[in-house]
DNA sequence: CAAAACCATAACCGAACGGTTATGGTTTGT
DNA sequence: ACAAACCATAACCGTTCGGTTATGGTTTTG
């Protein structure tokens, strides 16, 4: 049973993919062309990476004419945050307060998903 | 330049490896033998996975006679927490309070690393 | 309408990865 | 001293993965 965090970890394990995600996070919606210009790899590779991010639901895409605009889905990070908060229990009681905050965040943002 | 989070994401991307890490987190220090019993893969594979976790500095090992005891290094998760907190900025102002908490946690636990 | 721009897919390649069995080195038990 | 237990490494195998170039489909531009 592959957990929800699985596809996230896999998708973010590649540095190029993480860089794309980070760029989308910082600079907002971008076209494949714009992303390719800074990716350091070929356009087909960028498309592939975007496909992986899409399958992990980390990004959303929108067609407009001949270009495709990609955009981050920040709520998708929730399972990752959840995992970290759960398995960082070594940071014991101090973490209890953190989990409270996280639960509220998930309640607030995960709804837009279903 | 592979970031600090890189090896962490890679190490945790594999479900078997994550299960080992989670088991070590929940049940504390364990021998390779004990871990193999629940891993669902062969002992050599467990050793390999432990090697990967070790290279990511997620676990520490200690030889005692013919057995090797493995133990989690929770501080190693800090770069991951850092990454998440940084790129989840979309959870804007609500996240500011979270970051406060995280920074205090890192101050408390990351020191034992250097 | 023809050419160029934008993107996705296909075909292909080498490297890395997750898995196995086989082996060998220590350490423990009899 | 010998056998068994514990672990790591080696050798090997199929698959996945990150990368490329080539191609084709839309849409925009001249």
């Amino acid at each position: 049973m592959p957990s929800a965090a699985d596809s996230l970890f896999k998708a973010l394990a590649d540095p190029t993919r993480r860089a794309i995600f980070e760029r989308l996070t910082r600079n907002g919606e971008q076209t494949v062309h714009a992303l390719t210009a800074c990716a350091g790899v070929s356009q087909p590779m960028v498309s592939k990476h975007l496909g992986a991010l899409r399958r992990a639901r980390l990004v959303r895409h929108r067609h407009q004419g001949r270009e495709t605009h990609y955009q981050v889905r920040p709520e998708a990070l929730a399972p990752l945050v959840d995992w970290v908060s759960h398995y960082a229990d070594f940071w014991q009681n101090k973490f209890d307060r953190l989990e409270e905050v996280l639960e509220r965040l998930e309640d607030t943002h995960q709804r837009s998903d279903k």
Side-chain angles (χ1 to χ4, degrees), chain A residues 4-77:
Chain A
D6 206 76
S7 57
L8 285 185
F9 274 117
K10 281 210 185 71
L12 294 171
D14 181 71
T16 303
R17 223 143 45 208
R18 218 167 47 248
I20 291 178
F21 180 81
E22 294 172 358
R23 181 172 173 79
L24 283 176
T25 299
R26 289 196 312 275
N27 300 355
E29 196 183 56
Q30 308 245 333
T31 69
V32 176
H33 187 64
L35 290 171
T36 300
C38 305
V41 294
S42 63
Q43 173 265 311
M45 203 57 224
V46 172
S47 280
K48 270 204 197 175
H49 281 313
L50 286 170
L53 292 173
R54 221 173 39 211
R55 278 186 296 279
R57 315 215 52 191
L58 280 165
V59 299
R60 188 202 335 261
H61 69 294
R62 169 177 71 86
H63 296 289
Q64 178 185 2
R66 62 180 162 181
E67 5 184 54
T68 311
H69 297 257
Y70 280 84
Q71 177 183 358
V72 125
R73 294 183 64 251
E75 331 87 83
L77 283 179

